[in-house]
Amino acid sequence: MSETTASRDPYLRGCPSRDLLDRIGDRWSILVLGELGEHGASRFSRLRRRLAGVSEKMLTQTLRALERDGLVRRTVYPEVPVRVEYEMTALGQTLRAPLKALTEWSLLHTEDVLAAREAYDARTRQPG
């Protein structure tokens, strides 16, 4: 581990890793990376269809941010009409296992979390 890496602490204000955690922890980023990891290169329209509820603007912003961070590659093919595809980079591929683990955890524990929410809401509900 280099000195620079060792000095990074996401719990400290201003640490660049916080920004990265925000990016990869963002709902749409997780879903875009999951989709590209599972199905490979994809066009914008396919991603939009697969990610129910994402707006065109949000998907564009997410893809640009992931591309800027080096996690997604945008390839423009000089065809008529122009074809654009998005795919995970080698760096992005390193996130597949952690994201898959989070997805599996969420599927496994959804009912537990929903029950906890219901119990919490019942305990904290204001009478009357």
Side-chain angles (χ1 to χ4, degrees):
M1 184 180 282
S2 71
E3 186 176 325
T4 304
T5 304
S7 67
R8 307 276 176 163
D9 183 349
Y11 296 98
L12 297 177
R13 183 181 306 155
C15 180
S17 64
R18 271 193 185 189
D19 183 52
L20 183 56
L21 285 171
D22 285 345
R23 167 66 47 231
I24 61 177
D26 171 80
R27 166 180 39 168
W28 296 117
S29 294
I30 288 173
L31 294 174
V32 165
L33 291 170
E35 176 64 21
L36 293 176
E38 187 74 23
H39 296 103
S42 185
R43 296 177 74 168
F44 184 92
S45 58
R46 183 172 189 271
L47 285 170
R48 180 112 191 268
R49 276 193 311 276
R50 296 281 300 159
L51 304 176
V54 69
S55 68
E56 187 172 324
K57 178 182 176 182
M58 183 54 64
L59 182 55
T60 298
Q61 289 174 349
T62 300
L63 287 166
R64 284 183 183 157
L66 291 170
E67 182 181 9
R68 181 173 183 248
D69 288 343
L71 303 174
V72 167
R73 178 181 306 106
R74 180 180 184 264
T75 304
V76 179
Y77 296 93
E79 302 171 352
V80 178
V82 173
R83 180 169 54 104
V84 178
E85 286 186 345
Y86 298 89
E87 63 185 324
M88 291 178 83
T89 62
L91 180 60
Q93 290 286 342
T94 65
L95 280 169
R96 286 191 70 193
L99 292 178
K100 185 174 175 73
L102 282 172
T103 300
E104 289 173 356
W105 183 92
S106 70
L107 293 171
L108 185 62
H109 295 286
T110 298
E111 293 303 319
D112 299 325
V113 170
L114 293 175
R117 287 178 184 173
E118 192 173 306
Y120 175 88
D121 292 346
R123 282 193 319 272
T124 61
R125 194 169 292 125
Q126 297 292 328

Short mmCIF file of all heavy atoms in Angstrom, two decimals, residues 38-75:
data_model
loop_
_atom_site.label_atom_id
_atom_site.label_comp_id
_atom_site.label_asym_id
_atom_site.label_seq_id
_atom_site.Cartn_x
_atom_site.Cartn_y
_atom_site.Cartn_z
N GLU A 38 -23.61 -7.37 -16.21
CA GLU A 38 -24.39 -8.59 -16.47
C GLU A 38 -24.57 -8.86 -17.96
O GLU A 38 -24.51 -10.00 -18.40
CB GLU A 38 -25.77 -8.45 -15.80
CG GLU A 38 -26.61 -9.69 -15.86
CD GLU A 38 -26.16 -10.78 -14.92
OE1 GLU A 38 -25.48 -10.48 -13.92
OE2 GLU A 38 -26.47 -11.96 -15.18
N HIS A 39 -24.80 -7.81 -18.76
CA HIS A 39 -25.15 -8.00 -20.17
C HIS A 39 -24.14 -7.44 -21.17
O HIS A 39 -24.37 -7.51 -22.36
CB HIS A 39 -26.53 -7.40 -20.44
CG HIS A 39 -27.61 -8.09 -19.66
ND1 HIS A 39 -28.17 -7.55 -18.53
CD2 HIS A 39 -28.19 -9.30 -19.83
CE1 HIS A 39 -29.07 -8.39 -18.05
NE2 HIS A 39 -29.10 -9.46 -18.80
N GLY A 40 -23.07 -6.86 -20.68
CA GLY A 40 -22.04 -6.35 -21.60
C GLY A 40 -22.42 -5.02 -22.23
O GLY A 40 -23.33 -4.34 -21.77
N ALA A 41 -21.71 -4.68 -23.29
CA ALA A 41 -21.90 -3.39 -23.97
C ALA A 41 -23.37 -3.18 -24.32
O ALA A 41 -24.07 -4.12 -24.69
CB ALA A 41 -21.04 -3.32 -25.21
N SER A 42 -23.79 -1.94 -24.19
CA SER A 42 -25.21 -1.63 -24.41
C SER A 42 -25.37 -0.23 -24.97
O SER A 42 -24.59 0.67 -24.66
CB SER A 42 -25.96 -1.75 -23.09
OG SER A 42 -27.34 -1.58 -23.27
N ARG A 43 -26.40 -0.07 -25.76
CA ARG A 43 -26.75 1.26 -26.27
C ARG A 43 -27.59 1.98 -25.21
O ARG A 43 -28.20 1.37 -24.33
CB ARG A 43 -27.50 1.12 -27.58
CG ARG A 43 -26.60 0.49 -28.65
CD ARG A 43 -27.32 0.27 -29.93
NE ARG A 43 -27.49 1.57 -30.59
CZ ARG A 43 -27.87 1.70 -31.84
NH1 ARG A 43 -28.12 0.64 -32.58
NH2 ARG A 43 -28.02 2.89 -32.37
N PHE A 44 -27.61 3.31 -25.34
CA PHE A 44 -28.34 4.16 -24.40
C PHE A 44 -29.81 3.72 -24.29
O PHE A 44 -30.34 3.59 -23.18
CB PHE A 44 -28.25 5.62 -24.86
CG PHE A 44 -28.88 6.59 -23.91
CD1 PHE A 44 -28.12 7.18 -22.92
CD2 PHE A 44 -30.22 6.92 -24.01
CE1 PHE A 44 -28.69 8.10 -22.03
CE2 PHE A 44 -30.80 7.82 -23.13
CZ PHE A 44 -30.03 8.41 -22.14
N SER A 45 -30.45 3.50 -25.43
CA SER A 45 -31.88 3.16 -25.42
C SER A 45 -32.14 1.85 -24.69
O SER A 45 -33.15 1.72 -23.99
CB SER A 45 -32.42 3.10 -26.85
OG SER A 45 -31.70 2.16 -27.62
N ARG A 46 -31.25 0.89 -24.82
CA ARG A 46 -31.43 -0.38 -24.10
C ARG A 46 -31.26 -0.17 -22.60
O ARG A 46 -32.03 -0.72 -21.80
CB ARG A 46 -30.44 -1.42 -24.61
CG ARG A 46 -30.64 -2.78 -23.94
CD ARG A 46 -29.77 -3.85 -24.60
NE ARG A 46 -30.11 -5.16 -24.11
CZ ARG A 46 -29.56 -5.72 -23.03
NH1 ARG A 46 -28.64 -5.06 -22.34
NH2 ARG A 46 -29.91 -6.92 -22.63
N LEU A 47 -30.25 0.60 -22.22
CA LEU A 47 -30.06 0.89 -20.79
C LEU A 47 -31.30 1.57 -20.24
O LEU A 47 -31.77 1.24 -19.15
CB LEU A 47 -28.83 1.78 -20.58
CG LEU A 47 -27.48 1.10 -20.72
CD1 LEU A 47 -26.36 2.14 -20.73
CD2 LEU A 47 -27.26 0.11 -19.58
N ARG A 48 -31.82 2.52 -20.97
CA ARG A 48 -33.00 3.25 -20.50
C ARG A 48 -34.20 2.32 -20.31
O ARG A 48 -34.94 2.44 -19.34
CB ARG A 48 -33.33 4.37 -21.51
CG ARG A 48 -34.54 5.19 -21.13
CD ARG A 48 -34.18 6.60 -20.75
NE ARG A 48 -35.30 7.27 -20.15
CZ ARG A 48 -36.19 7.99 -20.82
NH1 ARG A 48 -36.08 8.15 -22.12
NH2 ARG A 48 -37.17 8.57 -20.18
N ARG A 49 -34.38 1.40 -21.24
CA ARG A 49 -35.48 0.43 -21.10
C ARG A 49 -35.26 -0.50 -19.91
O ARG A 49 -36.20 -0.82 -19.19
CB ARG A 49 -35.60 -0.42 -22.37
CG ARG A 49 -36.41 0.20 -23.48
CD ARG A 49 -36.76 -0.79 -24.57
NE ARG A 49 -35.63 -1.58 -25.05
CZ ARG A 49 -34.77 -1.20 -25.99
NH1 ARG A 49 -34.91 -0.02 -26.57
NH2 ARG A 49 -33.79 -1.99 -26.37
N ARG A 50 -34.04 -0.95 -19.70
CA ARG A 50 -33.74 -1.91 -18.64
C ARG A 50 -33.79 -1.29 -17.25
O ARG A 50 -34.06 -1.98 -16.27
CB ARG A 50 -32.36 -2.53 -18.87
CG ARG A 50 -32.24 -3.37 -20.12
CD ARG A 50 -32.81 -4.73 -20.01
NE ARG A 50 -32.11 -5.45 -18.94
CZ ARG A 50 -32.60 -6.49 -18.31
NH1 ARG A 50 -33.77 -6.97 -18.63
NH2 ARG A 50 -31.91 -7.09 -17.37
N LEU A 51 -33.52 0.01 -17.16
CA LEU A 51 -33.48 0.69 -15.86
C LEU A 51 -34.77 1.48 -15.67
O LEU A 51 -34.80 2.70 -15.79
CB LEU A 51 -32.26 1.60 -15.77
CG LEU A 51 -30.92 0.93 -16.02
CD1 LEU A 51 -29.79 1.93 -15.99
CD2 LEU A 51 -30.68 -0.18 -15.01
N ALA A 52 -35.81 0.77 -15.37
CA ALA A 52 -37.13 1.38 -15.24
C ALA A 52 -37.09 2.54 -14.25
O ALA A 52 -36.55 2.42 -13.15
CB ALA A 52 -38.14 0.33 -14.77
N GLY A 53 -37.64 3.68 -14.70
CA GLY A 53 -37.74 4.84 -13.83
C GLY A 53 -36.65 5.87 -14.01
O GLY A 53 -36.77 6.99 -13.51
N VAL A 54 -35.57 5.54 -14.70
CA VAL A 54 -34.50 6.51 -14.90
C VAL A 54 -34.90 7.47 -16.03
O VAL A 54 -35.43 7.04 -17.05
CB VAL A 54 -33.14 5.85 -15.20
CG1 VAL A 54 -33.11 5.18 -16.57
CG2 VAL A 54 -32.00 6.85 -15.08
N SER A 55 -34.69 8.76 -15.81
CA SER A 55 -34.98 9.73 -16.86
C SER A 55 -33.81 9.77 -17.84
O SER A 55 -32.68 9.36 -17.51
CB SER A 55 -35.19 11.12 -16.26
OG SER A 55 -33.97 11.61 -15.73
N GLU A 56 -34.07 10.27 -19.01
CA GLU A 56 -33.00 10.41 -20.01
C GLU A 56 -31.87 11.29 -19.47
O GLU A 56 -30.69 10.98 -19.61
CB GLU A 56 -33.58 11.01 -21.29
CG GLU A 56 -32.60 11.05 -22.42
CD GLU A 56 -33.25 11.45 -23.74
OE1 GLU A 56 -34.41 11.07 -23.99
OE2 GLU A 56 -32.58 12.17 -24.51
N LYS A 57 -32.25 12.39 -18.81
CA LYS A 57 -31.27 13.31 -18.26
C LYS A 57 -30.41 12.63 -17.19
O LYS A 57 -29.18 12.77 -17.19
CB LYS A 57 -31.97 14.54 -17.67
CG LYS A 57 -31.03 15.53 -17.03
CD LYS A 57 -31.79 16.69 -16.42
CE LYS A 57 -30.85 17.64 -15.71
NZ LYS A 57 -31.57 18.75 -15.07
N MET A 58 -31.03 11.90 -16.28
CA MET A 58 -30.29 11.24 -15.20
C MET A 58 -29.38 10.15 -15.75
O MET A 58 -28.24 10.00 -15.29
CB MET A 58 -31.26 10.66 -14.17
CG MET A 58 -30.55 10.02 -12.99
SD MET A 58 -29.35 11.08 -12.14
CE MET A 58 -30.39 12.36 -11.50
N LEU A 59 -29.86 9.39 -16.73
CA LEU A 59 -29.02 8.35 -17.32
C LEU A 59 -27.82 8.98 -18.02
O LEU A 59 -26.70 8.50 -17.88
CB LEU A 59 -29.83 7.48 -18.28
CG LEU A 59 -29.07 6.33 -18.93
CD1 LEU A 59 -28.43 5.41 -17.89
CD2 LEU A 59 -30.01 5.53 -19.83
N THR A 60 -28.04 10.06 -18.73
CA THR A 60 -26.94 10.77 -19.40
C THR A 60 -25.92 11.25 -18.38
O THR A 60 -24.71 11.05 -18.54
CB THR A 60 -27.48 11.96 -20.22
OG1 THR A 60 -28.35 11.46 -21.24
CG2 THR A 60 -26.35 12.75 -20.87
N GLN A 61 -26.39 11.89 -17.31
CA GLN A 61 -25.47 12.38 -16.27
C GLN A 61 -24.70 11.25 -15.61
O GLN A 61 -23.50 11.36 -15.36
CB GLN A 61 -26.26 13.15 -15.20
CG GLN A 61 -26.78 14.47 -15.66
CD GLN A 61 -27.67 15.14 -14.61
OE1 GLN A 61 -28.07 14.54 -13.62
NE2 GLN A 61 -28.00 16.40 -14.85
N THR A 62 -25.39 10.14 -15.34
CA THR A 62 -24.74 9.00 -14.70
C THR A 62 -23.68 8.40 -15.60
O THR A 62 -22.56 8.13 -15.16
CB THR A 62 -25.80 7.94 -14.33
OG1 THR A 62 -26.75 8.53 -13.43
CG2 THR A 62 -25.17 6.72 -13.67
N LEU A 63 -24.01 8.20 -16.88
CA LEU A 63 -23.04 7.63 -17.81
C LEU A 63 -21.82 8.53 -17.97
O LEU A 63 -20.69 8.05 -18.00
CB LEU A 63 -23.70 7.36 -19.16
CG LEU A 63 -24.66 6.17 -19.18
CD1 LEU A 63 -25.52 6.20 -20.44
CD2 LEU A 63 -23.89 4.86 -19.06
N ARG A 64 -22.05 9.84 -18.05
CA ARG A 64 -20.92 10.77 -18.17
C ARG A 64 -20.02 10.73 -16.94
O ARG A 64 -18.81 10.74 -17.06
CB ARG A 64 -21.43 12.19 -18.39
CG ARG A 64 -21.92 12.44 -19.79
CD ARG A 64 -22.34 13.86 -19.98
NE ARG A 64 -22.88 14.05 -21.33
CZ ARG A 64 -23.69 15.01 -21.68
NH1 ARG A 64 -24.08 15.91 -20.79
NH2 ARG A 64 -24.13 15.11 -22.91
N ALA A 65 -20.63 10.68 -15.77
CA ALA A 65 -19.84 10.63 -14.53
C ALA A 65 -19.06 9.33 -14.44
O ALA A 65 -17.89 9.32 -14.05
CB ALA A 65 -20.76 10.79 -13.32
N LEU A 66 -19.67 8.21 -14.81
CA LEU A 66 -18.99 6.93 -14.78
C LEU A 66 -17.86 6.88 -15.81
O LEU A 66 -16.81 6.29 -15.56
CB LEU A 66 -19.97 5.78 -15.00
CG LEU A 66 -20.98 5.54 -13.87
CD1 LEU A 66 -22.05 4.55 -14.31
CD2 LEU A 66 -20.28 5.07 -12.61
N GLU A 67 -18.09 7.52 -16.94
CA GLU A 67 -17.04 7.60 -17.96
C GLU A 67 -15.88 8.46 -17.45
O GLU A 67 -14.71 8.09 -17.58
CB GLU A 67 -17.61 8.19 -19.25
CG GLU A 67 -16.60 8.26 -20.38
CD GLU A 67 -17.16 8.86 -21.66
OE1 GLU A 67 -18.29 9.40 -21.65
OE2 GLU A 67 -16.44 8.83 -22.67
N ARG A 68 -16.20 9.57 -16.84
CA ARG A 68 -15.17 10.47 -16.29
C ARG A 68 -14.32 9.76 -15.24
O ARG A 68 -13.11 9.95 -15.15
CB ARG A 68 -15.83 11.70 -15.69
CG ARG A 68 -14.84 12.70 -15.12
CD ARG A 68 -15.55 13.98 -14.69
NE ARG A 68 -14.56 14.93 -14.21
CZ ARG A 68 -14.45 15.32 -12.95
NH1 ARG A 68 -15.30 14.86 -12.03
NH2 ARG A 68 -13.53 16.19 -12.59
N ASP A 69 -14.97 8.92 -14.43
CA ASP A 69 -14.27 8.19 -13.37
C ASP A 69 -13.51 6.97 -13.90
O ASP A 69 -12.87 6.27 -13.13
CB ASP A 69 -15.25 7.75 -12.29
CG ASP A 69 -15.75 8.91 -11.44
OD1 ASP A 69 -15.12 9.99 -11.47
OD2 ASP A 69 -16.78 8.75 -10.76
N GLY A 70 -13.64 6.70 -15.20
CA GLY A 70 -12.90 5.58 -15.79
C GLY A 70 -13.56 4.23 -15.58
O GLY A 70 -12.91 3.20 -15.76
N LEU A 71 -14.83 4.22 -15.21
CA LEU A 71 -15.53 2.97 -14.94
C LEU A 71 -16.31 2.47 -16.15
O LEU A 71 -16.61 1.28 -16.26
CB LEU A 71 -16.48 3.14 -13.75
CG LEU A 71 -15.79 3.60 -12.45
CD1 LEU A 71 -16.82 3.88 -11.38
CD2 LEU A 71 -14.77 2.59 -11.99
N VAL A 72 -16.66 3.40 -17.05
CA VAL A 72 -17.43 3.08 -18.25
C VAL A 72 -16.73 3.71 -19.45
O VAL A 72 -16.20 4.80 -19.36
CB VAL A 72 -18.89 3.61 -18.12
CG1 VAL A 72 -19.63 3.57 -19.45
CG2 VAL A 72 -19.65 2.81 -17.08
N ARG A 73 -16.76 2.98 -20.55
CA ARG A 73 -16.20 3.48 -21.81
C ARG A 73 -17.35 3.73 -22.79
O ARG A 73 -18.24 2.90 -22.94
CB ARG A 73 -15.24 2.45 -22.42
CG ARG A 73 -14.64 2.85 -23.76
CD ARG A 73 -13.72 1.77 -24.33
NE ARG A 73 -12.68 1.39 -23.37
CZ ARG A 73 -12.66 0.24 -22.69
NH1 ARG A 73 -13.61 -0.66 -22.85
NH2 ARG A 73 -11.67 -0.02 -21.84
N ARG A 74 -17.31 4.88 -23.42
CA ARG A 74 -18.30 5.26 -24.44
C ARG A 74 -17.61 5.13 -25.79
O ARG A 74 -16.57 5.73 -26.03
CB ARG A 74 -18.75 6.70 -24.22
CG ARG A 74 -19.75 7.21 -25.20
CD ARG A 74 -20.12 8.65 -24.84
NE ARG A 74 -21.15 9.17 -25.69
CZ ARG A 74 -20.95 9.90 -26.78
NH1 ARG A 74 -19.72 10.21 -27.15
NH2 ARG A 74 -21.97 10.33 -27.50
N THR A 75 -18.20 4.34 -26.68
CA THR A 75 -17.63 4.14 -28.01
C THR A 75 -18.63 4.62 -29.05
O THR A 75 -19.79 4.19 -29.04
CB THR A 75 -17.30 2.66 -28.26
OG1 THR A 75 -16.41 2.21 -27.22
CG2 THR A 75 -16.62 2.46 -29.60
#
